[in-house]
Amino acid sequence: MGYTLCVLGCGTMGVAILSGVVDSLDVGSRIAAGREKWESHTPGTVTPTDAADASLPNRFLACVNREASAKKLQVVFSNLGALGQTIEVYAGQNAHAAKQSDVVLLCCKPQHAQSILSEPSMQEALDGKLLISILAGVTIAQLTALVLPSTAVVRAMPNTPCKIREGMTVVSTIPDSPDRELHSTIILKIFSSIGRCLILDEKHFDACTALGGSGPAFACIFLEAMADGGVMMGLPRAEALQVASQTLQGAARMVLQTGRHPAQIKDAVTTPGGCTIAGLLALEDGRVRSTIARCIQVATERASELGQPSKK
């Protein structure tokens, strides 16, 4: 049993997803053998390694355009342990790899989607398969126009922390088909094993691209600025970065695990006449709140343009 998982356009995100899935399965094996226990705070679930489970992958294919890229990927995957070393890497053989697969992850750049899905024999290779696209701005309508009606098309928007199983993935609603329940289980197992996963209507995907996909970059700007402030006040760089990183991680976990609103956590830290309120007022003076919100707005607007025909 089990299925074959193929990644077309295996760049940064493709590697992150494959690495997370492989690590999840590998950790599950080690826990089953009593050799390791996954950290309890990690949202990524431990995937059972039951070879008879049709919703778990047992073969992995990764596709790139060039031989040089394929060699680099082989080195990357060889460092993922025994399971990572079984990942098969193909260069310039997208349709061949897709034909051997049951589930195909489309991870190329948005502007390359049409050329890849229009390759000779690609429609036949995807016949009856599950196609999961993580391409920003490329709609389900655009994708379904390039494949046969028998191909089930789903959009997913993961972010790069899925490589360490701390990802956030939004998945579009699963299309109706005889295999809908199996497809749903497969998708949830893939993305829940590498972080948190939720299902939303496709109309929200541009905002999710900005908030979840680009969000780690925005968060790192704030993180770096906090560390810079610590350095300015005399802290060594390494220690300032460690304190800032753990502080942001702890604050985020308090929101996720307790369900409390960020404002409640902020108010609990803010005492009358203290240093926290002084710092908060400085942030308000700099319009940090509105700047961050506008950042998401601008990124969402840009996300809606990706994968669409250029305007002349």
Side-chain angles (χ1 to χ4, degrees):
M1 297 292 286
Y3 68 89
T4 299
L5 176 63
C6 173
V7 178
L8 298 181
C10 193
T12 301
M13 281 306 306
V15 170
I17 294 171
L18 265 184
S19 299
V21 171
V22 165
D23 183 62
S24 170
L25 291 167
D26 196 35
V27 168
S29 297
R30 294 198 297 271
I31 291 177
R35 296 197 301 272
E36 183 175 327
K37 181 178 180 180
W38 189 251
E39 293 182 49
S40 60
H41 68 251
T42 304
T45 57
V46 174
T47 305
T49 53
D50 183 357
D53 191 339
S55 66
L56 293 177
N58 58 9
R59 185 185 177 197
F60 304 89
L61 312 180
C63 299
V64 290
N65 282 331
R66 300 175 298 171
E67 286 289 346
S69 300
K71 291 179 180 178
K72 290 180 181 178
L73 275 188
Q74 288 171 338
V75 173
V76 171
F77 293 143
S78 67
N79 294 323
L80 296 179
L83 191 56
Q85 294 172 12
T86 68
I87 299 175
E88 304 166 41
V89 182
Y90 293 87
Q93 301 182 65
N94 292 326
H96 174 69
K99 187 176 182 179
Q100 302 178 62
S101 307
D102 303 295
V103 179
V104 177
L105 274 168
L106 186 61
C107 300
C108 63
K109 294 180 180 179
Q111 60 268 30
H112 296 160
Q114 183 167 357
S115 61
I116 289 179
L117 294 179
S118 300
E119 289 181 12
S121 303
M122 182 58 81
Q123 281 195 340
E124 291 75 16
L126 294 174
D127 185 15
K129 310 291 179 63
L130 171 61
L131 177 64
I132 306 171
S133 167
I134 69 164
L135 309 188
V138 181
T139 65
I140 291 177
Q142 288 176 286
L143 294 167
T144 53
L146 297 171
V147 298
L148 296 174
S150 60
T151 302
V153 179
V154 173
R155 284 184 69 185
M157 183 49 57
N159 57 10
T160 50
C162 67
K163 187 173 183 178
I164 60 167
R165 300 181 65 211
E166 289 283 358
M168 181 66 246
T169 303
V170 176
V171 178
S172 65
T173 52
I174 314 300
D176 286 328
S177 74
D179 297 318
R180 186 177 188 276
E181 185 175 345
L182 176 60
H183 289 168
S184 178
T185 303
I186 287 173
I187 291 169
L188 290 176
K189 282 189 176 181
I190 288 175
F191 295 110
S192 293
S193 72
I194 54 178
R196 295 177 183 268
C197 178
L198 55 85
I199 297 176
L200 284 176
D201 289 338
E202 188 186 15
K203 66 181 180 181
H204 297 299
F205 263 60
D206 291 334
C208 289
T209 299
L211 187 57
S214 302
F218 306 149
C220 282
I221 288 290
F222 194 81
L223 172 58
E224 187 179 19
M226 287 180 64
D228 283 345
V231 172
M232 181 179 179
M233 301 313 297
L235 288 176
R237 169 67 64 180
E239 284 73 10
L241 188 57
Q242 182 175 348
V243 172
S245 299
Q246 181 59 39
T247 299
L248 283 183
Q249 178 177 244
R253 288 196 186 283
M254 287 183 72
V255 173
L256 290 171
Q257 293 182 8
T258 68
R260 298 172 67 191
H261 192 280
Q264 292 178 289
I265 298 173
K266 178 202 69 175
D267 289 348
V269 180
T270 308
T271 55
C275 60
T276 304
I277 189 61
L280 287 171
L281 288 177
L283 287 175
E284 297 295 352
D285 289 342
R287 300 178 64 185
V288 170
R289 187 192 300 262
S290 62
T291 299
I292 294 173
R294 292 296 185 190
C295 159
I296 301 301
Q297 178 188 10
V298 171
T300 299
E301 292 168 353
R302 175 57 183 150
S304 68
E305 300 170 356
L306 298 176
Q308 303 305 312
S310 58
K311 296 180 181 179
K312 296 183 178 179

